[in-house]
Amino acid sequence: MEPRFSGDVFVAYRQIYVESSSGFGCGLHAAFAGQNTGLCGAAEPGFLYLATGLHTGRGGFTVELHDTEPALDDSWEEAVEVSFRPASSRTDLTEWAGTAAYPLDLAETDYRVRYCATGMQAGHDLDTSPDDESVVDRYLLQFWPGPPGPDVLLKQTSTTAAHRHDFARGLPPAPAPAEREREQPRAEGLMRMPGGLSSTERPSSSMPGANAAGPDRP
């Protein structure tokens, strides 16, 4: 096992990403289109949308690269698997709006990815964590070489994770590659917010994890 990142990261709007292209990724619906699970959106090539319990604040993240599929540690409360292939020679763990990026040093090959969480419900219930608050939700992202395959639900214990899985299952299938290519020029033309995502990509209050305070809550 090779560690790629370990530390606290800042999450906003209950999300953080793995990015490997020069674009701004995609929104919630596009990331989870056609999936059976709602914690790690992998429908957009070269991009992973990682859902968190905490709305705003610091969460604990660990990223690992393995030679083969690692055993699932049953101490994690939530776990899903997806497929991922970097779209460039650089892949980063990226905070919301591009405020910080942590290089993961992944080769351009096919990976299976396991995303695990613990304390996700506690983070959701806390909603916003003050700077001096201890971390309540933690996440583990594991990569290993493997052929593409469907996303898989390995473990689910919390209400907030169940809600996200239900949301993803209700989305339409991901667009075919030809349709995605037609949409790309339009997506690239959207105005970006300073340092990051377009305001049109923010989650609305009807999306999983958004709260009554609305999507503009800092």
Side-chain angles (χ1 to χ4, degrees):
M1 185 274 290
E2 300 177 33
R4 286 294 187 259
F5 176 83
S6 181
D8 294 349
V9 296
F10 185 80
V11 301
Y13 304 110
R14 308 189 199 279
Q15 57 196 270
I16 191 169
Y17 323 98
V18 170
E19 295 186 311
S20 63
S21 66
S22 58
F24 57 81
C26 64
L28 178 71
H29 291 75
F32 289 95
Q35 291 196 183
N36 187 55
T37 60
L39 299 186
C40 183
E44 184 74 11
F47 179 78
L48 296 176
Y49 184 120
L50 307 175
T52 64
L54 193 68
H55 182 283
T56 305
R58 305 206 70 80
F61 259 80
T62 299
V63 183
E64 300 173 346
L65 176 63
H66 294 256
D67 292 331
T68 59
E69 179 180 354
L72 175 63
D73 183 344
D74 195 52
S75 66
W76 293 97
E77 297 171 348
E78 322 291 340
V80 299
E81 285 182 10
V82 300
S83 289
F84 174 76
R85 183 184 181 91
S88 72
S89 60
R90 173 159 182 161
T91 301
D92 296 331
L93 178 67
T94 306
E95 294 180 2
W96 191 87
T99 53
Y102 310 96
L104 300 181
D105 192 24
L106 296 178
E108 293 179 66
T109 189
D110 290 322
Y111 294 97
R112 287 296 285 176
V113 184
R114 182 180 297 150
Y115 184 46
C116 302
T118 193
M120 193 171 193
Q121 189 65 50
H124 179 275
D125 295 343
L126 180 62
D127 186 73
T128 300
S129 175
D131 290 340
D132 58 354
E133 187 87 15
S134 59
V135 170
V136 297
D137 51 347
R138 297 185 179 277
Y139 301 88
L140 171 66
L141 199 58
Q142 297 173 308
F143 293 83
W144 66 92
D151 64 305
V152 178
L153 175 60
L154 299 176
K155 188 175 182 181
Q156 179 258 304
T157 66
S158 69
T159 300
T160 187
H163 178 57
R164 284 189 170 273
H165 296 320
D166 288 343
F167 173 82
R169 291 165 189 149
L171 293 173
E179 182 179 350
R180 182 180 283 114
E181 289 179 5
R182 289 196 298 269
E183 287 293 313
Q184 191 65 24
R186 182 193 68 82
E188 291 176 348
L190 292 174
M191 183 178 296
R192 293 168 59 95
M193 296 176 62
L197 300 177
S198 161
S199 60
T200 62
E201 298 301 318
R202 299 186 192 182
S204 74
S205 58
S206 64
M207 297 180 185
N211 57 28
D216 293 323
R217 180 171 179 172

